[in-house]
Amino acid sequence: MIRFGKKIPVLLAFLFCLSSAFSQGIVSPVVKIPFPAGTLGWSNDDSKYALGEDNVIFVRDSSTSEVTHILPFKNIIRLSFADEAGTDMLLALAANGSASIWNVRENTKDFQGISSVSMPDYSISITSTNNHIVSAALSKNSNHIAAAFDDGTVAVFFKLRYTQNLVSSFFPGHTSPAYSLEFSRDDRYVVSASKDNRVIAWNMATGEMTANFQFYGDSGAAALFADSPDHIVCCTSPDEVSVCSLDGTSIHTFQTGSRVKNIELSRDCKTLIVLTEDNRLRIFDMQTFENAGYIPAYNLSQVTSFAFNSNGSQVLVGHADGSVYRLNVDEVFLFPDQEPPEILSLTDTDVVRKGFSHSPKGINTHSLKPVALNK
């Protein structure tokens, strides 16, 4: 459960940003790329995190923010880490149906201390006649890939690692593309959220449809399994997220206070995180159903992605201007009725790759209240 914190390279620059509240000091490393920040993910032991752009994935050491791997991969739509026998495996899926897996535990340095990996350890290709993949999910054990096609079909693929082939099962049900796919915690079920305003869940072994009910699909937010495949968390109105039974009956509804953009559950499913249109990460307790608080915006541009580490102590927040903040939750978490503090933002325009030092040259300062960023 979440606790209640030089020359610019061609593709990437690492800027060290010191954000200091008057009542407390906040030190936040910031990765800056020239494109909107894409999909984000932490390794299972939190030692690394990955940031995906359109055509490349950067893997960084989470303590120093140094780049450890550069992985060429075009048109990425999803990435996820899996642990296989103590080895970090990074899985990525592209819009054309290609999927690749890299071993990112081994650091074979070949360019200025960075592992530039051109060939993945494992590659597969998903094809469907005249259809394109619109969303995808990777199971936690890395054995299955779920893909949704633009004709409304959902398919689950089982990877045969040694033959590099796929065994597939196709699940009909939607009349419009499913923009969200997620596996249950035990990887036995998959749930989809579609533009046809239906949430559908399937038993992967039997193909049985275990849930099929209406929800609010205009938000584009995911549908997720709670701690049990008998409960599904989804958006039920522009500013509401509900825990539903398999027949769609609402067990509890969370009022978010602003339009929902996306939702996520912590790894233990005890905490619900809702990204809202005002750029806040609103945090709810899934056991008590209480509004625990929120994390305000620390950037003027829109939040494009976020990812909490395994114990919820740190969060990566990506923005449309290409900034990715790594924040300590304890330092930035606020209670529901608590106003954001006045913030003095200091940004070093020089590159500090390791993120340990700060040059006084070229510093831009400005005072702002994060609560006013969305006005």
Side-chain angles (χ1 to χ4, degrees):
M1 181 174 175
I2 291 176
R3 296 182 300 166
F4 306 100
K6 339 274 196 218
K7 297 181 180 178
I8 299 177
V10 175
L11 292 176
L12 183 68
F14 176 75
L15 280 73
F16 188 64
C17 176
L18 296 179
S19 297
S20 175
F22 295 129
S23 59
Q24 61 181 16
I26 299 175
V27 179
S28 173
V30 179
V31 170
K32 186 71 169 65
I33 60 177
F35 310 103
T39 182
L40 292 162
W42 291 85
S43 63
N44 286 277
D45 63 359
D46 298 331
S47 64
K48 298 179 179 67
Y49 67 86
L51 165 61
E53 298 180 26
D54 280 344
N55 297 315
V56 67
I57 301 169
F58 290 96
V59 180
R60 289 180 172 271
D61 183 287
S62 62
S63 61
T64 65
S65 292
E66 289 185 275
V67 174
T68 61
H69 295 79
I70 300 175
L71 313 174
F73 193 74
K74 293 184 178 181
N75 302 317
I76 181 173
I77 59 175
R78 191 69 182 264
L79 64 78
S80 178
F81 280 92
D83 179 64
E84 296 184 3
T87 298
D88 284 328
M89 305 298 289
L90 178 64
L91 304 90
L93 190 68
N96 65 0
S98 62
S100 294
I101 304 173
W102 293 270
N103 180 341
V104 292
R105 176 65 60 86
E106 298 176 359
N107 293 335
T108 304
K109 310 295 185 181
D110 55 10
F111 177 71
Q112 295 183 353
I114 299 174
S115 297
S116 181
V117 182
S118 58
M119 294 298 294
D121 295 75
Y122 182 84
S123 294
I124 54 180
S125 181
I126 301 171
T127 57
S128 179
T129 306
N130 300 322
N131 286 313
H132 298 284
I133 292 176
V134 294
S135 63
L138 305 157
S139 66
K140 298 166 185 61
N141 60 14
S142 80
N143 288 333
H144 294 87
I145 299 172
F149 298 94
D150 55 12
D151 66 350
T153 301
V154 172
V156 174
F157 302 88
F158 178 74
K159 304 192 305 292
L160 301 179
R161 295 185 179 277
Y162 295 102
T163 62
Q164 304 243 324
N165 291 324
L166 293 172
V167 175
S168 58
S169 298
F170 286 82
F171 302 137
H174 287 297
T175 58
S176 296
Y179 57 76
S180 165
L181 288 170
E182 294 292 340
F183 286 92
S184 60
R185 293 181 70 189
D186 59 8
D187 290 328
R188 295 171 55 200
Y189 300 86
V190 65
V191 62
S192 61
S194 170
K195 293 180 180 178
D196 62 11
N197 294 322
R198 307 296 298 181
V199 167
I200 300 179
W202 293 272
N203 182 315
M204 292 196 300
T206 66
E208 175 190 4
M209 189 180 293
T210 61
N212 184 353
F213 61 85
Q214 190 170 5
F215 81 120
Y216 181 75
D218 290 346
S219 69
L224 310 167
F225 284 108
D227 57 350
S228 162
D230 294 332
H231 294 153
I232 294 173
V233 184
C234 61
C235 192
T236 47
S237 82
D239 57 358
E240 291 182 344
V241 176
S242 296
V243 180
C244 298
S245 60
L246 295 182
D247 63 1
T249 301
S250 176
I251 299 170
H252 183 81
T253 296
F254 300 96
Q255 303 293 332
T256 62
S258 181
R259 189 178 183 88
V260 176
K261 292 179 63 177
N262 207 357
I263 64 175
E264 182 178 298
L265 286 170
S266 59
R267 293 190 193 181
D268 59 9
C269 293
K270 294 181 179 179
T271 305
L272 170 68
I273 307 100
V274 181
L275 171 62
T276 51
E277 203 169 51
D278 58 2
N279 264 11
R280 291 185 175 186
L281 295 176
R282 299 173 186 263
I283 298 171
F284 301 89
D285 191 314
M286 287 287 289
Q287 296 177 306
T288 65
F289 298 126
E290 292 181 352
N291 179 3
Y294 69 100
I295 296 173
Y298 287 92
N299 187 294
L300 290 168
S301 64
Q302 287 296 307
V303 174
T304 54
S305 55
F306 67 95
F308 284 83
N309 67 350
S310 61
N311 64 7
S313 63
Q314 294 189 68
V315 59
L316 299 168
V317 183
H319 294 266
D321 69 351
S323 300
V324 179
Y325 289 68
R326 178 162 54 85
L327 301 169
N328 291 321
V329 172
D330 284 346
E331 294 179 333
V332 297
F333 174 83
L334 299 174
F335 293 106
D337 57 352
Q338 188 176 359
E339 287 295 319
E342 191 82 19
I343 296 296
L344 179 65
S345 178
L346 305 179
T347 303
D348 183 0
T349 57
D350 293 333
V351 173
V352 184
R353 184 178 169 203
K354 290 187 177 181
F356 286 132
S357 60
H358 178 73
S359 168
K361 297 179 181 179
I363 291 178
N364 299 317
T365 65
H366 61 277
S367 295
L368 53 86
K369 282 188 175 181
V371 72
L373 295 184
N374 309 290
K375 292 183 179 179

